[in-house]
Amino acid sequence: MLHGCISLVVALMSAVLVFWVWYPSPYLSILQVGEIYGLLLVVDVVCGPLLTMILVNPKKSRKERWLDLSLVGLLQIIALLYGMYSVWQARPVAIAFEVDRLVLVTANEIQTEALHLAPENMKKLPWAGVFQVATRQALSSEERLETTLVGLAGISPGMRPDWWLPWDVARPAIQAQAKPLYSLAQRRLEDLEVLQSAAKKSDLDMLELFYLPFVSSKTNDWIALLDSNGNIVGHAHVDGF
């Protein structure tokens, strides 16, 4: 019983770190991490006490029982740390504006060898939270070809720190590409309630809001809500293309 309570407390503490610090809404859903990590927690919480029930025998000496408990606890810790490390490696670290969309980029997608070429305050990936970055255009035909080739391999400009620019540099382009939210609502009447709810959370009227598709390597059916200055003020699970 005590083992189960301890396991549950540790699991809840790790869940707070994952769900509220590394993957605050809506990143958890966009990157589809919730179900995987939830399964990991269930396995860790259930299997530990279960192994204890199987191994611990009153007929064993006190030393043997403590050894059994220590081994089970060690296995749980190793499994939890491995899971936490994997989730941390895949945490969101950047929202990159790429031509006509916003891309949510994770730590394990970043070309870390180019981080030293990123803007001055972005040379280290954030432990929590995300950078908001713009991405530059190709500077030559050779670079354009190289970008196309790496793009075919799934590496977009937002994953390349040497292509990052400060967010304010792209603000005019963001404002030019952003479309009125009400136009999306008119096209997707089936999502009207979702869009109205997202607009309400932003504290702005739908007529004052704009949107860009908000995609990741896992999903492409979200939008980011923007105000008239190109600031991200909300999100909605609606296909923006």
Side-chain angles (χ1 to χ4, degrees):
M1 183 67 178
L2 179 60
H3 191 173
C5 290
I6 294 173
S7 298
L8 183 59
V9 169
V10 172
L12 290 175
M13 291 172 63
S14 68
V16 168
L17 182 61
V18 172
F19 297 150
W20 278 273
V21 179
W22 293 340
Y23 293 84
S25 179
Y27 306 148
L28 189 73
S29 298
I30 293 174
L31 296 174
Q32 300 179 345
V33 172
E35 292 183 4
I36 296 173
Y37 190 69
L39 179 61
L40 173 67
L41 289 184
V42 169
V43 170
D44 197 59
V45 170
V46 172
C47 287
L50 186 61
L51 283 172
T52 300
M53 292 176 60
I54 294 172
L55 293 176
V56 174
N57 189 326
K59 296 181 179 180
K60 291 184 178 180
S61 66
R62 183 183 181 88
K63 182 179 179 180
E64 289 175 323
R65 290 199 300 271
W66 274 108
L67 179 60
D68 289 341
L69 288 172
S70 299
L71 290 174
V72 171
L74 181 62
L75 287 174
Q76 279 186 281
I77 291 171
I78 291 173
L80 182 61
L81 289 177
Y82 176 77
M84 292 290 286
Y85 177 74
S86 299
V87 171
W88 181 76
Q89 284 284 80
R91 73 194 184 282
V93 293
I95 295 175
F97 173 65
E98 297 183 7
V99 184
D100 61 352
R101 68 197 65 191
L102 297 173
V103 181
L104 184 62
V105 184
T106 61
N108 56 2
E109 293 173 333
I110 295 291
Q111 305 296 292
T112 53
E113 66 275 8
L115 268 173
H116 68 285
L117 298 173
E120 192 57 40
N121 60 341
M122 302 177 187
K123 294 183 184 297
K124 291 184 179 180
L125 297 181
W127 187 83
V130 296
F131 292 140
Q132 290 187 355
V133 302
T135 55
R136 66 176 176 83
Q137 299 296 313
L139 302 178
S140 65
S141 56
E142 291 81 6
E143 197 173 59
R144 193 174 298 110
L145 175 60
E146 186 259 348
T147 303
T148 301
L149 292 176
V150 299
L152 293 174
I155 302 172
S156 72
M159 301 173 187
R160 305 175 65 180
D162 53 324
W163 281 60
W164 289 356
L165 295 171
W167 183 261
D168 285 342
V169 171
R171 199 176 291 275
I174 292 172
Q175 291 170 300
Q177 289 294 333
K179 299 177 178 62
L181 186 63
Y182 72 82
S183 67
L184 181 64
Q186 290 175 331
R187 286 196 294 115
R188 298 191 177 278
L189 293 176
E190 68 276 15
D191 294 316
L192 180 60
E193 188 175 338
V194 175
L195 293 173
Q196 288 175 330
S197 177
K200 185 176 181 180
K201 290 178 182 177
S202 74
D203 293 326
L204 292 173
D205 188 89
M206 184 177 289
L207 295 176
E208 302 176 274
L209 289 167
F210 300 83
Y211 78 92
L212 281 174
F214 190 32
V215 305
S216 72
S217 58
K218 304 290 185 183
T219 54
N220 60 3
D221 56 353
W222 282 75
I223 60 170
L225 274 58
L226 310 171
D227 63 17
S228 59
N229 295 317
N231 300 308
I232 300 174
V233 295
H235 308 85
H237 193 181
V238 175
D239 189 343
F241 291 104

